Amino acid sequence: MSNTAPPTRIPRPLSVTLVTALIWVGAVISIGSGVWLIVQAGDTGLLAEFDGNVGAIRAEGIVQVLVGVAAVFVARGIGRGSEFARFLVSLVMIVRIVGDIFLVAQYGDRFLWLPIFW
């Protein structure tokens, strides 16, 4: 018989659990808002906000869904302690910041609420 004891499981820190939950919430919001943009692309009020460009509305919706799906995978990885997932969190946050800057630069303060509450 071997004298080695089975490895003890180290409990996950509360901060990691909190970050994982926040990433999940962000992913659900991102996917939901992306689907909403795609479905509502023909809405006259939304068209007015996007200067009548249906393609831009759908493209923004698709990007939001893709970012949300990426966040789902990142949340799963963070929950499991993956180093790669930590890198992806940084990458996703950079992409979201760049996207928010583009959105505000392109459409002015009409969408300023998005980066503030996102």
Side-chain angles (χ1 to χ4, degrees), residues 2 7 12 15 34 40 47 71 73 78 84 86 90 96 109 113:
S2 168
R12 180 172 45 190
S15 61
Q40 296 294 321
L47 282 170
F73 287 110
I78 289 289
F84 183 67
R86 285 188 228 168
S90 301
R96 290 185 81 165
D109 61 353
W113 61 272

Side-chain angles (χ1 to χ4, degrees), residues 91-110:
L91 185 63
V92 167
M93 293 302 114
I94 290 168
V95 168
R96 290 185 81 165
I97 290 168
V98 169
D100 290 340
I101 290 170
F102 171 77
L103 193 64
V104 171
Q106 183 72 24
Y107 299 105
D109 61 353
R110 291 181 285 181

